[in-house]
Amino acid sequence: MSVRAVFEFLRKWRVFLEVAFMLCVTGVYVVLVQKGFYPLHIIENRVADWRRGTRPAPDDLVIIGIDDSSFPQQPWAAEELARTPELAYLTPNWPWSRELWGKLADRLLGVGARTVVFDLAFVNPGDGDTQCGAVFARQAAHIAISGMMDVKLDNVGNGAMRTAQIFDPVDELIPETGPEIVGLANVVTDEDGLVRRIRHAYNLDLEKNHELANNPKFMATLKADSYSLSWIAAQKALGSSPALDPW
């Protein structure tokens, strides 16, 4: 076959060859994604970073962290406690009384904070639950606290069964009426330790059986059992549901 004939063949079948090439590339991509091909994840993450770019944190977002320097190495002086009585709750031992978190929420909301979010584990009873819960109930429109979802594989016979369980904070911290304040703090980090994606809605049945995602009837009536902590916090800060699909 001459060179001219080859070019004529390529020109005549150009569209077909382009479609076939794209189908092959798509097929290989789908297979690699299903197989969890590690280099592909790196490429996807780098492309996502490039598209999103670097954005500064909002000026109205303040993060209060707890580290080793938060624990006093010596007793507070009398004049310090007289000036700020709440310092008495900051002891060398963890956990601190939860009454502190109620007082902190009141103080922050009192000076203009729109929402106060606690990314702390409140799953076990603790000192000060009653006092803290009273504040959370009174300020429920401006408070968000964290729960957790635990998903794991249990060996059953010759196979494995997925189980999913939601761990809410203790009852004393959850208002009996009013707006929801609990959101799941689960996040999934990429291989480089960064969090690029956050799920906002969780359904226990779907967590136990991912195949349900292929069931149109189930998906058409899908309801969330819980929402993410960031979703609940955004509702409080914006005064309404974010203009996003939580799924």
Side-chain angles (χ1 to χ4, degrees), residues 174-224:
I174 303 176
E176 295 182 0
T177 60
E180 177 66 64
I181 72 169
V182 179
L184 300 184
N186 298 66
V187 295
V188 178
T189 59
D190 290 325
E191 292 84 354
D192 55 5
L194 297 180
V195 177
R196 293 182 174 85
R197 305 161 186 85
I198 297 179
R199 290 182 53 192
H200 291 302
Y202 296 83
N203 176 276
L204 283 175
D205 291 330
L206 190 59
E207 293 298 327
K208 296 174 184 177
N209 183 6
H210 288 176
E211 294 298 323
L212 289 174
N214 300 320
N215 185 330
K217 185 177 180 180
F218 174 82
M219 296 302 293
T221 59
L222 182 63
K223 294 183 179 180

Side-chain angles (χ1 to χ4, degrees), residues 7 33 40-41 44 62 72 76 108 115 120 123 137 185 203 233 240 246:
F7 277 104
V33 169
L40 186 61
H41 288 299
E44 286 183 332
V62 178
W76 298 102
L108 293 175
T115 305
L120 295 169
V123 295
N203 176 276
S240 61

Side-chain angles (χ1 to χ4, degrees), residues 45-81:
N45 290 339
R46 294 295 178 268
V47 172
D49 293 343
W50 172 74
R51 289 184 60 189
R52 295 169 183 166
T54 301
R55 289 175 289 182
D59 293 335
D60 57 354
L61 175 64
V62 178
I63 297 177
I64 301 177
I66 302 173
D67 58 17
D68 291 342
S69 64
S70 305
F71 296 87
Q73 302 302 312
Q74 55 188 7
W76 298 102
E79 56 271 18
E80 291 176 314
L81 292 174

